[in-house]
Amino acid sequence: MLTAHESNRSLRPQALARIRRLVSALTLPLLMVVLDSSPVAEASVPPTPSGWTLVWSDDFTGAANTGVSSANWIYDIGTSYPGGAPNWGTGEIETMTNSTANVYQDGAGNLNIKPIRSSSGAWTSGRIETVRTNFAPPSGGGILRVEASIQLPNVTGAAAQGYWPAFWMLGAPFRGVYTNWPIVGEMDILENVNGANQVWGTLHCGTSPGGPCNETSGIGGTRIMGSPSLQTAFHKYTFEWDTSVSPNQLRWYVDGIHYHTVSQTAVDASTWTNATNHGYFIILNVAMGGGWPGNPTSSTTSGAPMKVDYVAVWSKTGSGGGGGSGSEYTYGVNNVDSTQALTWFKPSGFTASYVILHYIRPGITQQNVNMSYSSGTAQWGYYVGGLSSGQTLSYSFTYNKNGVQYDTPTFTWTKP
């Protein structure tokens, strides 16, 4: 996909993949939208889901026109890291500052990152990254969940030309070195350009250009959104790094809808290890211009902020694929007897019209079966037979929500 902040690469012509995706973004409706002064957001970080542990969060509840907490965040200043590629490696044209004109809490529970054009035409904006660099799944197998509620800059069409807001992570070994991208990994949870009502999520890894991760584009996915748009309301952007399943998975969600997965088997073992054998730090920023969106024009609106209600990180100890949760469901496998297991799926906050189980066990090809609903447990279930101790069951679900069909990632469970 389109890279977010390839912070160590030198500038080069756009890849064809970038051009195709940019054209897709620009063909969305080009409607001028006025700035929204009263977005609706969460009152606080959501309650920690059952089975999860809150690792870190920031709810941005500081007084109006104050900066971010220095205990949580570092300001990136200027146009590059020390010794790093110019223009943050992407060709963006703004200068990042620590001024509360660009980065400030609004007194209503939101962080604002606001790009501003001066009378001379120069742009300033904001970019902050977490002090912590050790965000990773629990050792021994588990899941890391990183989430933010964000309203993108409320401009579209010509007024949005050059806007490039992002919520993303870089591998810890990058800090202080600034020349080891993309081998140490980059996980882009949210990218958006030019006011498109569309979200992109991407993994960057390996070598550049080209390499196993198709750099500088990376391994990405995208989802076009409906109403309310990404620019007119807060939406939840969630990323899960799951080492409790084999192969490991990276998963992207928007408003609980799973739209992209990268499996450990997508690249060679060395590339995956180099990108995942360490922690990560989180970055929030609004870039202006660069190789993907193109530069702002005289029609570009100054002062449209990205608003962030909260950023939160949770973790969960893995169970070998025996159970877990997506952003809008829980699932699992219960051992029944010496040859049977009960697979189950439980929607959260909605009623599924149907749920289909897809599974593979040793000795058979993939089976696709309709699950049965139990009103007593409010979950769907299906008994899988023919299992022996030590055998691994691979399974996934297809479910219908409000007339739209969704697919989950593939999970695994080993029979005791």
Side-chain angles (χ1 to χ4, degrees):
M1 194 201 102
L2 307 164
T3 177
H5 295 265
E6 299 150 359
S7 306
N8 73 321
R9 65 178 176 84
S10 57
L11 300 179
R12 56 178 59 87
Q14 291 175 256
L16 289 176
R18 287 185 174 215
I19 296 172
R20 287 194 296 268
R21 288 175 173 86
L22 178 57
V23 169
S24 174
L26 291 177
T27 54
L28 296 174
L30 300 180
L31 302 176
M32 179 72 75
V33 178
V34 297
L35 298 183
D36 180 6
S37 61
S38 56
V40 177
E42 295 275 353
S44 61
V45 173
T48 298
S50 176
W52 293 79
T53 299
L54 182 64
V55 174
W56 180 94
S57 67
D58 196 329
D59 207 16
F60 304 112
T61 55
N65 299 315
T66 59
V68 293
S69 166
S70 60
N72 287 343
W73 300 97
I74 298 168
Y75 291 93
D76 293 332
I77 305 297
T79 59
S80 71
Y81 285 112
N87 303 100
W88 302 107
T90 66
E92 57 201 75
I93 64 169
E94 82 294 328
T95 297
M96 297 299 186
T97 83
N98 60 1
S99 168
T100 51
N102 297 117
V103 183
Y104 61 95
Q105 297 181 82
D106 62 11
N110 303 312
L111 166 70
N112 286 242
I113 301 180
K114 179 187 289 187
I116 299 172
R117 179 174 50 212
S118 71
S119 58
S120 66
W123 285 89
T124 57
S125 189
R127 170 176 167 144
I128 58 174
E129 57 188 57
T130 55
V131 173
R132 287 184 59 166
T133 62
N134 61 346
F135 296 123
S139 60
I143 308 173
L144 182 80
R145 177 183 290 176
V146 184
E147 182 177 281
S149 176
I150 298 174
Q151 180 186 8
L152 296 183
N154 196 4
V155 285
T156 59
Q161 174 59 44
Y163 271 81
W164 189 355
F167 165 43
W168 52 299
M169 302 195 296
L170 276 171
F174 185 80
R175 182 171 288 173
V177 177
Y178 308 129
T179 57
N180 50 357
W181 185 93
I183 189 171
V184 299
E186 174 181 327
M187 299 171 181
D188 301 328
I189 304 170
L190 152 70
E191 287 187 278
N192 177 269
V193 293
N194 298 339
N197 191 24
Q198 187 169 359
V199 57
W200 283 267
T202 308
L203 168 68
H204 294 283
C205 52
T207 57
S208 183
C213 304
N214 189 37
E215 300 301 346
T216 58
S217 294
I219 304 173
T222 187
R223 181 175 177 85
I224 297 174
M225 302 298 290
S227 179
S229 72
L230 302 180
Q231 288 74 29
T232 58
F234 282 86
H235 294 263
K236 290 184 180 181
Y237 303 91
T238 308
F239 172 79
E240 290 185 344
W241 176 359
D242 190 350
T243 61
S244 73
V245 296
S246 181
N248 294 176
Q249 292 182 344
L250 307 176
R251 298 188 291 266
W252 283 258
Y253 305 81
V254 57
D255 294 335
I257 299 170
H258 171 233
Y259 73 92
H260 182 44
T261 298
V262 177
S263 171
Q264 182 177 1
T265 56
V267 297
D268 61 273
S270 177
T271 297
W272 186 266
T273 298
N274 288 335
T276 61
N277 66 351
H278 49 256
Y280 274 70
F281 56 94
I282 299 168
I283 304 173
L284 294 162
N285 73 286
V286 180
M288 295 301 297
W292 182 10
N295 287 344
T297 70
S298 59
S299 298
T300 301
T301 292
S302 173
M306 176 173 77
K307 298 175 180 285
V308 185
D309 180 31
Y310 68 84
V311 180
V313 180
W314 294 276
S315 68
K316 179 179 183 179
T317 302
S319 55
S325 66
S327 295
E328 60 180 16
Y329 57 82
T330 55
Y331 64 92
V333 180
N334 299 337
N335 193 45
V336 176
D337 56 31
S338 60
T339 62
Q340 287 193 98
L342 171 64
T343 57
W344 58 270
F345 178 93
K346 186 173 184 177
S348 300
F350 70 96
T351 300
S353 301
Y354 58 79
V355 179
I356 301 170
L357 170 69
H358 315 278
Y359 73 91
I360 301 174
R361 64 167 176 80
I364 64 170
T365 58
Q366 179 172 305
Q367 305 294 300
N368 308 295
V369 296
N370 292 314
M371 304 185 77
S372 298
Y373 181 72
S374 169
S375 58
T377 59
Q379 67 186 31
W380 299 75
Y382 184 84
Y383 288 90
V384 176
L387 293 165
S388 301
S389 177
Q391 289 186 334
T392 297
L393 176 71
S394 298
Y395 64 102
S396 64
F397 305 96
T398 296
Y399 62 96
N400 185 286
K401 176 185 176 184
N402 299 327
V404 180
Q405 182 170 289
Y406 301 99
D407 297 312
T408 73
T410 298
F411 313 107
T412 59
W413 175 79
T414 301
K415 185 171 177 59

